[in-house]
Every structure is written in structure tokens, then in C-alpha cells.
Amino acid sequence: MLDLTWLLIAVPLASAAFLLLAGRRADAWGHWVGVAASGTAFLVGLGALIQMLGEDAHHREHAVHLFSWIPGGALDLDAGLLVDPLSMTFVMLVTFVGTLIHVYSVAYMEHDPDRRRFFAYLNLFVAAMLLLVLADSYLLLFVGWEGVGLASYLLIGFWNHKPEYATAANKAFIVNRVGDMGLIIAMGLMFTYFGALDFEGVFAAADGASTAQLTAIGLMLLVAACGKSAQFPLQSWLGDAMAGPTPVSALIHAATMVTAGVYLIVRSAPIYAGAPAAQTTVAAIGAFTLILGAVIGMAKDDIKKALAASTMSQIGYMMLAAGLGPVGYAFAIFHLVTHGFFKAGMFLGAGSVMHGMNDQVDMRRFGALRTAMVTTWVTFGLGWLAILGVPPFSGFWSKDKIIEAAFVGEGAQPWILGGAALIGAGLTAFYMSRLFFMTFHGKARWTDDQHPHESPALMTVPMIILAVGSAFLGLFLALGDRFATWLEPVTGHAEHHEPVLPIPVIMIATLLLVALGVWVAWRKYGAADVPETAPAASLATIAARNDMFQDSVNRGVFERPGTHLTRTLVYADAALVDGAVDKTAGGWARTGESVRKTQNGQVRSYALTMLVGLVIVILVVVQGGL
Amino acid sequence: MDPINFVILASILFAIGAAAVLLRRNAIIAFMGVELMLNAANLALVAFSRMHGEIDGQIMAFFVLVVAAAEVVVGLAIIIAVFRARQTISLDEPAELKG
Amino acid sequence: MVNPVLFWIIAAITVIPAFSLLFARKAVHVAMSIVLVMVGLAAAYITLGAPFLGMVQIVVYTGAVMMLFLFVLMLVGVDQREDLKETIKGQRWIGLFTAAGLGAFLVSVVGRVTVAVSDTPVQGDPDVVAVLLFEKYVLVIEVLGFLLITAAVGALVLTHTPRLKPRRTQLEVQRDRVLAGADPVNKPMPGVYARHNALDVPALDPEGQPIDHSVSRVLKIRNQTQEGVEFRAALEDPSRKEGDR
């Protein structure tokens, strides 16, 4: 079965090509082709997983050679797949959640005339994402990296007849370019220093490389990860990316693509092992983004944007864990998997709410939906409990471990990182509860033409499955450290370090903060009335509502200077370069003008000139020199 | 008397011919100046032939004569063509070479 | 060696007329002066032992080239007087200075050198020249022949004026004449039906009347015509008999 892993990529890719080429005649049944392709990929992945589970833990790493890709002198690169526990984890996440979301989309996009195209893009995304996680070299990973970027762009701008959606797509694409540049530079550095781009060669060479080299590569990889995973300072695109259809937000901008940055960091573990400074930067960025995302999430009234801020914050947790080194790698991936389930589930729940509420996204117009949408309420509630980290739901097992790991270390670092993680847990509890209560509890604040109703079974069944995963997957994987052991061949064995605080203290503090957050949210948004329009608020709230002015900052720090720099360059080009050329040419033209005057057209003048020249020649000849 | 004096005579005639070309605006007169310069050269050739006791100098003068005849034919044809086009043979008129 | 008197005469009849190039106003005068110069040069050639070249000089230059110049002068108008006022700034003085400087320089240089004169002067008689021309320089002669032909053709091409409209036929010419009101037939010739054939006598029409316009206009202006009246009288004389002439 492992030899067939190339089917994981080929089937969705072929399906995407088929759906795009088939045209309108496939409109009626094309979406089922997409679902089948995704389901096939899941089955292939499942087969591979089962085979892998039957093997000895130390022989679970398989290299699947595909073809010789770039046989060029100093760079001899083969295209191949690396099937190991880490990539298999992603394969299962992507194909399982992806298939559920495909099924969900069949109903969600039922009335969209372009449903076939939507499924083609979804399949394209699945293929690219699987290529990203299965690639055995940075270059092949980059192909998938760009592929998911393309799919993301196409899907954010799926309703591109609305200019602001098209702009959002462009924004995501352009911000991602910044990150991609980081990956390209990192690859360039690898090729320069190590002469290799495949994981095996790079990691082998990384052992003997200098700290400076590894730090440079690590920071560039971090830039790439920040771009793809919406981490500070490249986070601005994620909120606008919610312009895409909700299943897209669930699959790409919550469960899978945005976690590719975490995958990149974890996959590059050998590089970070030799670059502690880069590693600390990863953790710091993760910690900062988790707070930033949580603060933004507290102020958003748009349910999807609040979830997007939450995604940003949760990925911040993963980055924080990934930045802690071997201690955190497994927990980063663990949280990634559980997050993939509960966040996808909540996004699908949000989609279900929108489906029933005429695409309304303003939470201030929701309220009391628990009676109208019982299934959605229950499934969303399970996701809510999971993200809060309430035991025994999934989030508890993964997030609590990250908070504990953040407290490991020496000096001020554990206190700062751990403190951020701890506070983040409280903030998470507040904004998620706010979202949950504003949507499902309190009084109905619906507009007149809204008649909330439960979604069809095609939508609720995937939500239920994901809710079950949100509830029990963490427990299942955490028992006996199953997941950490499973990933051990890749992430390496982590020595157990004692946090600076006793574990029970951390756990109790976390739960207390969570309880506090929920209580405050209940007082403010559950028990009390919620105004239908956003009330005037403090400067901090306004800043959070405006994504911490990140667009303004970007405009002020990058766009304006960039514009001015461009103008300066244009002016310099016109004044200096063109000026020099023009002046030179003008000088010659004036010289020509003055010389032209000797060409007066008078034959006798010419004759005189000839005679003068003749006299001079004769003088020279006769006198034997000048 | 030394034949070198004919060379001096040729020099004077040459200078007069050159001055005519430079100063006269009538194309025919300027042309006659050119002819005079050619003949001055011929005179010098013949004088050198006499001084060296070689007849080749005369042959050269003969060739110059023939070429000059051809030149006269073409030159006068050009003058006639210009006159037909412009009704004048002043050298100052056709200033179309003006840059 | 050359007779000094002969030299000075030759110098006089070449240099003095040559100055007409600079000072004469009429091109015809210049041309005639140059003819004199050419003759002087021919004399110089003969003096220097080149009798054939001297004859050729006379034939070609005075006989052909200068006559050609005169023909062209006739074509473009003998009366074209030239304004001697200089139009190009500085041209006159720079030109004169340069030309005079050149002449003075050449004279001074040539005057300072002494060349040994050959003791065995050669005589450029036609037979000697012919042998040299057609043996040693035969190729040059051939090339010069081509040059002359080319020059002749070139002159033809340059002076040729292409016909812009097709030539008018006689029919068209006559039609235009009649339409313009001219006589369809020739004017009557003077002296026809006259007693004696003479230009000053008008022709008589069939009725015996004189036709005025048969006599040339010029003769009328000069009053050299005869009325023809006396012939009419004689014609009407009853005594006159047929065959009485």
C-alpha cells in the first residue's frame, strides 16, 4: 500500500483536472467525483496507515521514489515521497477532514451555479496539500506550498464578482508571496551551504553546519511559516480570507493549509536543533501571535472573523510549541490535529448557522439559536469545550501539554512564554464563550426575514463526526502517550523536563483562568442583553476590532515607504539616468548643430576648405613634418 | 633657360585657377578655372619630362588631357541640367547641400 | 635649354589672359582669354620637346573644349553678367589669401631647387608617342576609351529631357487649329495668279481680286508690296487676247 501513496496526490489532481475540463455537462454529478476522489485518497492513506502501524516503530520511515526530477550537475534532485509518521498524520488529517468537508460542501454549495468548479479547486487543494506534506525535499515541498497558495487564492476569490472578495484573494496571495520569498531564500541558503535540497541531504549536512548558517536558514523558514500560517507580522491576510465559502475557511484556513507553517518548522527540526536563536524566535512569535489573535478575537462581531482570529491564536500555540524544540514538537502536531478537528467542526457549525440565517455573519444579529438548530448547537458546543481545554475533551490534552511545555526552561523564558500561554488560555475561553453565547444563547436578535432552521443531513453528519473527534480524539491519542510515541521516529525522543511550576499548579491555574473567562463571557453576553449594533468602546477594543490596525501599520510601514521609494526611484531614473542620457545626447545634438553650420551648402566654401586642407598637406609634405 | 621656370609658371597658373574656382560664382567660369588648374599640372608634367629626358611625362599629360575632356563633357552636361532646372548657373543658388 | 625670350613671351600670353578668370565680367571674355592661354601652353609644350602634345592641346582645348564652353554659354545666355560682389562672408579674402599663399609657396619652393637637366632631350614626335602609348600604356588607353564612352553616354543622359505627354499627332494638331478658327487650308501663296511670280505681289482670288493676307506682313510694314491693281486693269483690258503672253 505504501508504494501506492503517489495515488494520494494523483487521484485528487486528476479529479481536479477532470472537473475543470469537463465543463457544464458535469455540473449535475461533478461534485460526487470530487467527493469520491477525496474519499479515495483517504482510503489509500488509511491503508498506508494500517500497514505502517503493523511495522516496527523504527522502520516506519519510507522513501517512495517517483522519478528523477532535476538531474542537473551540482543539483541532482529526485522527486520522491517521504512517508513517515509525521506526514502520515497530516495525510490522515487532510484526507479525513477534507472528505468530510467535501460531503458538507455538496449541500452547502447546492445552490451555487459554480459548484463543480468549487470541487475542482477543493480537489486541487487536497492534492497540493498532500504533495506538501509528502514531499521528500524542500523543492518539492515548495511545489505543494505554492499549490495550496494557489488553491487558497482561487477559493478565497471564489465569488470574485464581488470586488472586496477579489481584493481579499489578492491580499492573501500577496502576503503569502512574502512568506514564499522566505522559503526560496532558505532553499537558496541550503543549496549554497549544503549543496542539497532533499530532507535527507540537508539534515545530514546540518549536523556539521555552523550556527550562523543554521540560524539564517531557520529564520528564513520562519518567515515562510509566518506567511502561510498567518503569524505575526504576516497575519493580516487571514481575516480577509474569510471571504471564501465557509467550507473553504474550515478546510484551508483553519484545519490544514494554515498549519503548513507548523509542519515546516517541525519537519525542519534538525535545522532548529542547531540554531537555538531561531528556535527561540519561533516560540516568541508564536507566543505573541497567540495573544494578538486572542485579543482580536475578543472584539470581532463577525463570526467567521472571530473564528479566524481564534485560528491565528491557536496556531500561535502550535508555533510556540514548535519553538520549544523536541519537548514541544509532538505537542505542536498533537494540538494541530485536535485543532484541525474542533476548529473545522466549529467552522462547519458557523457555516450551518449562516446557512440557516441567510448568510448573516454578524453575531449581534444571532442569539437563541440553540432551539432552532439543536444539532449545530451540540456539535459547536463540543468544539467550544474542546478549544477551551475543558477535560476530557480534545483541546485539554493538547493545549495543556503545550502550556506545561512552555513552562520548561531556565531564566525568564519559561515565565514569559508560559505566562503568555496561560493568559492566552483565559482569553481563549473568554472570546470563544462570547462567540458561543452570542450565537446560541441570550435573546433572539434576528432580522425580520430570517427563519433559522437546521441544516440537511449532508451537512450535519460531517459536523457530528467532527464533533465526536473534537470530544474524544484527544483522549484517545493522549492515553499512554500514544501520539508522542507514534511521532517519536520523526521528532526524536524528548527527555522529560520538569516545568518551573509543578504540573498540578499549572493545570489548576489554567482551568481557573478558563472558568473565569467563561464566567465573564456569560455575564456579559449570555445573561445580559447584547446590543444589536456594536457600542462605543475603548481605544483598545477599537484597535482589536480593526485587527490591531495591522492594515494601517502595513500601509504605513511597507506600502507608503514602498510607494515613495518607487516614486523616488522613478524620479531618480528620470532625472539621473534618463537625464544623463538625454543631456549627453543633447550635448552631441548641440555639437552637431554647431558643426552643421559649417555645412552651409555653398560649393565654393567647400572648395575653399579643400584648398586649405591641400595647402596644409603640401606644407607638411614639403617641410617634412609639422 | 632652365625648364624649371616652366614649373614656376605652372604654379602661378595653378594658383590663378584655384582662385577663380574659389571666387567666381558663375559655374562656367569656375569650371574654366578647374581646366586651367589641370593644364597647369600638364605643363609641369611636360617640363619634368623635358628635365628628365623621359617621354613618359608627356604621356601622362596626354592622359590628363583625355580625362579632362571627359570631365568637361560631363561637367557641362551637369551645368546645362542645372540651368534647365533653375534658370541660373550661379554656384550660390543650389544650396541644397546645406546641412 | 629654352630660349629665354620665348619663355617670357609664353609666360606673358598665359599669365596675363589667365587673370581674366578673376576680373572679367563676361564669361565670353573669359573663355576667349582661356583660348589664348591654351595656345600659349601649346607653344610651351612644343618648346619643351612635345610637339605632338602641343598639337593635341590646340586641337582638343582650343578647338573642342573651349568651343564646347562657348556653345554652353550660348545655351545659357551670353549676356549673363555676374555680380562680382562677394556673398559668402570672408570667402573672398580667405580664398585670395590661400590661393596666393599656395602660389607663392610653390614658387618659392620650386625656385629653390635645382634639378639636373638631361643632356639628351627627347622629342615627343607622334611616332615615338604612338609606340609608347600602344605598347607600354595600351591598357590605360583602353580604360580611357571606356571612360570617354561613359562620359559621352553620361552627358546624353544628363541633358536628356523625357517626354511627359505623348506626341500630338497631325490629326490632333489640325483639329485644334480648325477649332481655333484658322483656315482649314493653307494661306494662299503670294504671286499666284500674278503676272510675275513674286513675294511682293498678292495672290488673286478666282474673281480676280487681290488677297491681302497672302503677302508677308514684313513686306507690308516696309511698304514694299504692290497693289496688283495694274494687273487687274490689264486683265480687264478687252484688247488682251488669250495666248498673248
Side-chain angles (χ1 to χ4, degrees):
Chain A
M1 206 67 194
L2 286 168
D3 294 335
L4 292 176
T5 40
W6 61 273
L7 280 173
L8 285 170
I9 301 160
V11 169
L13 196 63
S15 166
F18 169 76
L19 287 177
L20 284 175
L21 295 174
R24 289 278 170 207
R25 64 185 73 94
D27 270 356
W29 42 268
H31 45 279
W32 291 116
V33 175
V35 173
S38 184
T40 309
F42 172 67
L43 291 178
V44 172
L46 192 66
L49 176 72
I50 291 168
Q51 185 183 347
M52 191 180 274
L53 283 172
E55 287 169 335
D56 182 42
H58 296 287
H59 296 93
R60 282 175 178 171
E61 197 166 309
H62 300 273
V64 182
H65 180 258
L66 293 182
F67 51 87
S68 178
W69 189 19
I70 305 177
L75 178 67
D76 191 359
L77 194 60
D78 289 348
L81 304 181
L82 177 63
V83 185
D84 64 1
L86 178 59
S87 58
M88 193 45 71
T89 306
F90 269 89
V91 167
M92 291 319 293
L93 176 69
V94 171
T95 53
F96 182 68
V97 176
T99 305
L100 288 179
I101 289 173
H102 272 72
V103 173
Y104 177 92
S105 305
V106 170
Y108 188 84
M109 301 294 285
E110 193 171 3
H111 303 297
D112 196 291
D114 285 327
R115 181 163 61 162
R116 178 184 47 80
R117 185 161 63 88
F118 179 80
F119 274 85
Y121 292 164
L122 274 188
N123 274 335
L124 175 67
F125 168 77
V126 170
M129 188 71 201
L130 291 173
L131 180 63
L132 193 162
V133 297
L134 284 168
D136 74 341
S137 67
Y138 280 101
L139 198 61
L140 196 59
L141 180 147
F142 187 65
V143 174
W145 189 270
E146 290 298 313
V148 294
L150 170 69
S152 162
Y153 166 77
L154 291 171
L155 286 166
I156 294 171
F158 185 72
W159 291 316
N160 52 18
H161 48 85
K162 292 187 184 170
E164 65 267 30
Y165 287 11
T167 309
N170 281 335
K171 186 176 179 183
F173 203 72
I174 290 164
V175 176
N176 265 297
R177 288 276 81 68
V178 180
D180 297 347
M181 190 191 65
L183 188 49
I184 291 173
I185 294 175
M187 286 195 289
L189 291 173
M190 285 171 202
F191 184 61
T192 311
Y193 295 149
F194 311 144
L197 287 176
D198 55 315
F199 293 142
E200 201 180 342
V202 170
F203 298 157
D207 281 341
S210 74
T211 310
Q213 291 173 349
L214 291 176
T215 306
I217 296 172
L219 287 177
M220 282 301 129
L221 288 174
L222 175 61
V223 170
C226 283
K228 195 58 89 188
S229 293
Q231 297 295 290
F232 181 83
L234 298 176
Q235 83 281 21
S236 64
W237 64 273
L238 188 60
D240 290 337
M242 295 302 124
T246 308
V248 172
S249 308
L251 178 61
I252 300 184
H253 303 121
T256 54
M257 184 193 85
V258 288
T259 59
V262 181
Y263 169 79
L264 185 69
I265 302 281
V266 174
R267 179 58 88 192
S268 307
I271 289 174
Y272 286 101
Q279 205 165 33
T280 311
T281 313
V282 173
I285 290 220
F288 184 77
T289 312
L290 91 86
I291 298 289
L292 182 76
V295 171
I296 293 172
M298 289 195 294
K300 287 286 179 188
D301 288 333
D302 181 326
I303 185 170
K304 285 182 72 180
K305 292 203 170 168
L307 284 171
S310 158
T311 303
M312 201 191 292
S313 173
Q314 295 302 311
I315 297 171
Y317 270 110
M318 300 170 208
M319 293 293 270
L320 170 62
L324 294 172
V327 162
Y329 288 144
F331 301 135
I333 301 299
F334 188 15
H335 191 53
L336 193 156
V337 172
T338 55
H339 172 260
F341 273 82
F342 61 69
K343 185 54 68 64
M346 282 194 284
F347 259 115
L348 294 190
S352 173
V353 169
M354 286 162 61
H355 192 72
M357 295 289 279
N358 278 350
D359 285 337
Q360 174 66 265
V361 290
D362 187 356
M363 290 192 289
R364 293 187 184 276
R365 309 302 304 207
F366 291 163
L369 287 175
R370 68 179 185 279
T371 48
M373 310 171 126
V374 178
T375 316
T376 307
W377 174 58
V378 171
T379 55
F380 202 103
L382 285 172
W384 169 61
L385 291 171
I387 195 171
L388 256 53
V390 175
F393 299 105
S394 287
F396 168 76
W397 304 101
S398 54
K399 196 156 83 175
D400 217 51
K401 290 286 185 189
I402 292 179
I403 297 173
E404 278 173 28
F407 274 106
V408 174
E410 292 170 353
Q413 181 191 327
W415 294 104
I416 297 171
L417 296 181
L422 203 56
I423 294 168
L427 296 178
T428 306
F430 172 75
Y431 71 75
M432 284 313 296
S433 306
R434 170 179 179 269
L435 188 155
F436 186 69
F437 294 148
M438 277 173 89
T439 307
F440 293 102
H441 294 270
K443 288 185 180 139
R445 300 178 296 276
W446 311 334
T447 48
D448 293 340
D449 56 342
Q450 285 173 333
H451 308 287
H453 57 85
E454 188 53 271
S455 303
L458 270 178
M459 285 166 71
T460 52
V461 170
M463 284 156 60
I464 293 167
I465 296 174
L466 285 173
V468 171
S470 310
F472 304 116
L473 187 69
L475 179 66
F476 174 73
L477 291 178
L479 276 184
D481 274 346
R482 266 190 202 141
F483 195 72
T485 315
W486 156 255
L487 280 181
E488 217 168 65
V490 181
T491 59
H493 182 69
E495 296 293 325
H496 186 72
H497 296 280
E498 274 304 314
V500 288
L501 286 173
I503 292 176
V505 174
I506 298 172
M507 203 182 285
I508 290 169
T510 311
L511 290 176
L512 280 178
L513 274 171
V514 167
L516 181 68
V518 174
W519 180 73
V520 172
W522 173 254
R523 286 294 305 276
K524 224 173 155 204
Y525 300 101
D529 286 342
V530 179
E532 291 186 359
T533 52
S538 67
L539 189 66
T541 312
I542 292 171
R545 279 179 189 156
N546 288 305
D547 300 327
M548 291 308 195
F549 299 123
Q550 57 189 6
D551 288 335
S552 310
V553 169
N554 282 348
R555 190 167 296 130
V557 176
F558 299 109
E559 191 190 322
R560 289 265 169 73
T563 312
H564 287 298
L565 180 66
T566 314
R567 281 194 195 141
T568 313
L569 286 176
V570 167
Y571 176 77
D573 183 51
L576 295 180
V577 180
D578 282 10
V581 173
D582 288 352
K583 287 273 158 46
T584 311
W588 286 116
R590 275 191 294 283
T591 311
E593 283 291 320
S594 55
V595 172
R596 187 179 68 86
K597 294 202 175 105
T598 63
Q599 298 287 323
N600 56 8
Q602 299 292 350
V603 185
R604 296 188 298 135
S605 283
Y606 299 166
L608 179 62
T609 313
M610 280 171 69
L611 189 71
V612 170
L614 177 73
V615 169
I616 291 170
V617 168
I618 290 175
L619 279 173
V620 170
V621 169
V622 171
Q623 301 295 343
L626 283 172
Chain B
M1 197 171 192
D2 198 321
I4 195 79
N5 290 315
F6 283 100
V7 181
I8 293 175
L9 180 62
S11 301
I12 293 168
L13 289 175
F14 186 89
I16 293 172
V21 173
L22 294 183
L23 299 180
R24 298 308 294 258
R25 264 174 295 166
N26 189 323
I28 293 176
I29 296 178
F31 202 25
M32 285 193 272
V34 174
E35 292 303 310
L36 189 63
M37 289 160 79
L38 283 167
N39 276 287
N42 266 359
L43 181 58
L45 282 172
V46 176
F48 289 139
S49 161
R50 169 72 185 79
M51 284 150 68
H52 289 292
E54 298 281 347
I55 208 157
D56 295 62
Q58 294 178 22
I59 304 293
M60 289 304 140
F62 180 75
F63 292 153
V64 171
L65 210 72
V66 175
V67 175
E71 180 230 352
V72 165
V73 168
V74 176
L76 287 176
I78 290 173
I79 287 175
I80 287 175
V82 170
F83 178 74
R84 274 189 190 154
R86 299 177 169 271
Q87 309 302 319
T88 176
I89 53 169
S90 169
L91 283 180
D92 288 354
E93 288 296 326
E96 285 175 2
L97 288 173
K98 188 170 170 61
Chain C
M1 289 296 128
V2 180
N3 189 340
V5 179
L6 189 53
F7 172 77
W8 287 114
I9 291 172
I10 290 172
I13 64 166
T14 49
V15 173
I16 294 169
F19 275 107
S20 71
L21 270 173
L22 301 181
F23 304 118
R25 290 201 167 210
K26 283 195 168 182
V28 178
H29 297 166
V30 179
M32 295 317 293
S33 310
I34 296 300
V35 169
L36 198 56
V37 175
M38 295 304 170
V39 172
L41 285 175
Y45 293 166
I46 293 166
T47 313
L48 287 169
F52 174 71
L53 198 60
M55 289 304 138
V56 169
Q57 171 81 3
I58 289 177
V59 169
V60 171
Y61 264 102
T62 58
V65 171
M66 293 322 295
M67 293 309 114
L68 205 52
F69 270 100
L70 286 174
F71 275 127
V72 173
L73 276 174
M74 281 163 58
L75 268 177
V76 304
V78 184
D79 290 338
Q80 285 226 342
R81 290 171 72 92
E82 185 188 348
D83 188 4
L84 284 180
K85 194 175 167 219
E86 184 55 58
T87 49
I88 306 175
K89 192 180 169 192
Q91 172 84 10
R92 170 170 290 174
W93 302 113
I94 298 174
L96 265 182
F97 176 79
T98 312
L102 177 68
F105 177 73
L106 286 177
V107 168
S108 72
V109 168
V110 174
R112 270 184 282 144
V113 296
T114 47
V115 182
V117 179
S118 170
D119 296 332
T120 54
V122 290
Q123 193 70 8
D125 287 332
D127 51 346
V128 182
V129 173
V131 168
L132 203 57
L133 272 182
F134 292 103
E135 282 185 352
K136 189 175 175 185
Y137 293 107
V138 65
L139 193 64
V140 184
I141 287 293
E142 296 288 337
V143 174
L144 284 177
F146 283 120
L147 177 69
L148 283 173
I149 290 171
T150 312
V153 174
L156 284 176
V157 171
L158 281 171
T159 52
H160 174 72
T161 39
R163 180 177 289 280
L164 295 175
K165 295 176 191 169
R167 177 191 277 275
R168 298 212 302 165
T169 61
Q170 267 192 331
L171 179 64
E172 288 166 338
V173 174
Q174 286 304 320
R175 184 171 292 148
D176 290 347
R177 272 190 63 211
V178 173
L179 285 176
D183 270 338
V185 295
N186 289 346
K187 282 182 182 176
M189 301 294 284
V192 177
Y193 297 114
R195 278 303 171 87
H196 58 288
N197 285 344
L199 287 177
D200 57 348
V201 180
L204 296 180
D205 64 8
E207 293 171 358
Q209 301 299 322
I211 304 168
D212 281 343
H213 62 263
S214 67
V215 180
S216 168
R217 193 167 52 87
V218 179
L219 295 180
K220 280 186 198 164
I221 292 168
R222 291 179 181 169
N223 289 323
Q224 290 174 344
T225 56
Q226 296 190 39
E227 290 299 313
V229 181
E230 63 273 25
F231 306 116
R232 187 165 54 187
L235 193 68
E236 287 166 356
D237 184 6
S239 63
R240 177 189 166 274
K241 287 188 177 68
E242 193 70 27
D244 239 10
R245 284 179 223 173

